[in-house]
Structures are given as C-alpha cells and as structure tokens.
Amino acid sequence: MSIVFPQGFLWGAATAAFQVEGATDVDGRTDSIWDTFCRVPGKVVDGHTGEPGADHYRRFEQDVRLMADLGLGAYRFSIAWPRVRPDGGAVNQAGLDFYKRLVDTLLQYGIEPWPTLYHWDLPQKLEDTGGWAARDTPYRFADYAASVVEALGDRVATWTTMNEPWCSAFLGYAAGLHAPGRTDPVAAAAAAHHLLLGHGLATQAIRAAQPRARVGITLNMYPVIPANPQDPDDVDVARRIDGIQQRIFLDPLLRRRYPNDLLVDLEPFGFTGVIRAADMDIISAPIDLLGVNYYSEYYVSSAPGVTGPSPWVGVSQLSFPRRDMPRTDMDWEVRPEGLRSVLMRLHLEYPRLPLYITENGAAYQDVVSPDGIEDHDRAAYLASHLWSAHSAIEAGVDLRGYFCWSLLDNFEWAEGYAKRFGIVHVDYETQVRTPKLSARWFARVARGNALVAVS
Ligand code: IFM
C-alpha cells in the first residue's frame, strides 16, 4: 500500500552551517557565539566543537551528489553570518563565494537551494555588544541579509529568515544551555522580540532586493499537554508554556500582536518595555510560507520538578512526567500524532499560508556493521510522521513539503557529536559518508512522492 502526496510536494533534507561545515577559521570566518560557547568547559558534552563537523565546507560537492542520488528536490542549509560578515562587520567576499559555489552546484544537479539566514551562529563581536538582547542586533541582521540576497538573489527563490528563534532566545539567554550561555530572563524576553524584529527587517531587505522572492520563518512547535486536564494548575502551566514556546512568535507574525496572557506573564521581565509600536507592523509584514520543525510533544505538570534556570521564563513550578512510550536517543517521546496536531492548529487557528515541515527526524544509536547501518528505528520514525503529515493534508492543511533532519550526522549542539540524526552516516575520523537504510528508504519515498513501507 502506498500513500500518495500532492503533485509537486517538495522532498528535501536539512542541515545547518555550524553543525556540518567545519572549517571554522578559514577564508576570513571569525568566531560565532557557538565557537566561544564550545570552549567553555562543561557546556558541550566531551568538549566537542564545530570542528571537524562533517567537513561540508570542503566536501559540499560530494554531498550534493549524494543528495542527487537520493532524489532530493531541495536542500535546506544555513548561511553562516560570521563567514559573510565576520565580526558582524564588512562583507567578506570569500564567505559569500562559498555559498555561491554551493548554490550553483545544487542548481546544476536540479536541487532547489533553501537557505536559512540565521541558524544560531551570531558573530561573537555582536554578542559582546549585547547580542539579541540589544536593539541594534536586528538592524545588523538586516544588513547581513541584504548582502546575502544581493549576492544570491538571482539563484535563490525561497529564503528563511530565522530557524527556531525560541532556542536562540530562551535556551541561549534564559536557560544558558545554548550559546551565548546566559541565564538572564530579562535578556531572553528582549531577545525574543529582537529576533522577531530581525525577521521583519530582514524580510524588508529581501523584498527590496528581490521583489519576487518567497520569504518565510521556521518555528519549532510542540503540542503542550497538561498531565491532568482536570487540574487547573496543570492547565495553566500548559498555557504559559504554549505562550512562551509558540504563541510569542506566531501571534505577532500572523496576527500583529502579542497574546494578552503572555504580556501579563512576561510583565515582570520588562517585556513590554522593549516593544515599540512601529515594530509590530515590521514583524507582521506578510510572509509567503511558514516552516514547522517538529520532533515531539511536551507533557507537563505543575508539580515541582525542574530546578535551575529554565527556558520557560516565568513558569516557576514545572515537571515533565514520564509516559510509558518509545523515546529517541535524545530521550524525546516519539509522538507522530503531535505533528498532525500542530499542523491542524495552524490551519484552524491562524491565517492560512503554505506550510512546510522544515525539520523532522530522530537521533538513535546506530550500529555500524560491515553490511551497513540498518536504522529501522529512524526510518520507522520518519514513516510514522509522514503518515501523520499526510493525514493533515487529507484534512485540508496546505502542506507543501517535507525536509528530514538531517541529511548528515552532525554537531548536535550541547550534545556534541554523541547524537546522530543523519540519514547518512558520517565517520568523523575518515569523513566517509554511508547512506543508512533510512536514506535508501527516504529516497524511494521522495522519488515516488508516496509513503512506502520501511524495508
Ligand atoms: O539539530 C537541531 C537543529 O539545529 C534545530 N532543530 C532541532 C535539531 C535537533 O535537535
């Protein structure tokens, strides 16, 4: 039996610059906040860094051929701000040239380039002057976006401004689990607004340079489920987390305002003080598509549990009770139905626009044998989520494409290289790439535009 996707459905795979490129000190690139963060003992498992990554900077041609072999229609990658404008300053032609080569190679193989302008690698110099907590940073981001679009706008049709601003703002500035490693909820709230402003200003810059471009942003979405729906405290925790996880981005982008309950929740953190009236028009300027990254659900309770700095600013009592269900190597629950649920929510509660799943995938402990990597668990994860996505399409959701995370095993942020998300295995010693069973299966799905059994 096969489940057919709409004609023209886009099949792709995703990576991000700092996670795969390596080559962090060549051709004029300077430090990003992640280079700095990796040097702080204890921040990244086993003290790993962006080196060697998957050496994509030097091996991109081989990787593009691999994508072509897998029948992918699009490649979602990110552009490194510290390559293009080292230290956040003047344009560095050598940095731009790398992305020109990458984009040209993709086009040569008939693969659509899907660049993201910001996937967390803020130039360290800009963090030194306040980072995303400072109002100047969104303006620097727009300058950087303009220089990228000027260089690549003749070759790229679709731009994503930001990837998962929630992680940048709240993991980076409130919980300290991501770069820049700050634990300052006031800065985190300001960063959330400034990331949105950066998106809006970059959208203006893209449209000015390339009027026919398609522009979007990618958010990481989770259904938030109260452990006990009869318990008002659990329900309230779920509401607050939903506010700070997704409505804080969705509502200004798509409804031109922050939700009232969120404004009340964030009042102690000076949130309204950073918002200027004119910002809301900039942030809510129409976009052409929304990217959704989906991995799991949040199952939350108001019982005390989480200690220490939390990314859910203003949520003081919170725990994540364990449910008896399969989990990935990240310890994330496998919840394919949650993907349908976030897509349906967007469809029913927000102004409609084309949706793309810009990330979905799973880390598992792969067993490398002479016969290859038979990652049935990862393929089953992808298949169940595609099934769920398809059911959303059948219910009327305008879902136009799916990018699996990730093309390659890579640097999983604070987890270093310990977690493998790739459908293609990377041996970090030799840099040999080996498509896993999941890649071979995904290629059949992409080629046939239909879900087929994992085998
Ligand atoms: O690896 C990350 C990616 O950079 C952003 N989205 C989630 C992935 C898995 O954690």
Side-chain angles (χ1 to χ4, degrees), residues 15-16 19 76 119-120 163-164 167 178 218 220 222 293-295 330 332 359 361 363 405-406 410-413 415 421:
T15 65
Q19 293 182 271
R76 177 175 181 255
H119 198 125
W120 309 352
N163 179 73
E164 301 180 358
C167 297
H178 276 193
T218 278
N220 50 329
Y222 304 77
N293 291 356
Y294 178 79
Y295 290 91
M330 297 294 280
W332 296 344
E359 285 182 27
W405 183 270
S406 174
N410 60 55
F411 176 78
E412 177 52 26
W413 307 112
E415 304 286 346
F421 275 91

Side-chain angles (χ1 to χ4, degrees), residues 18-32:
F18 193 75
Q19 293 182 271
V20 294
E21 285 180 358
T24 49
D25 60 357
V26 305
D27 294 340
R29 182 189 182 279
T30 54
D31 278 355
S32 73

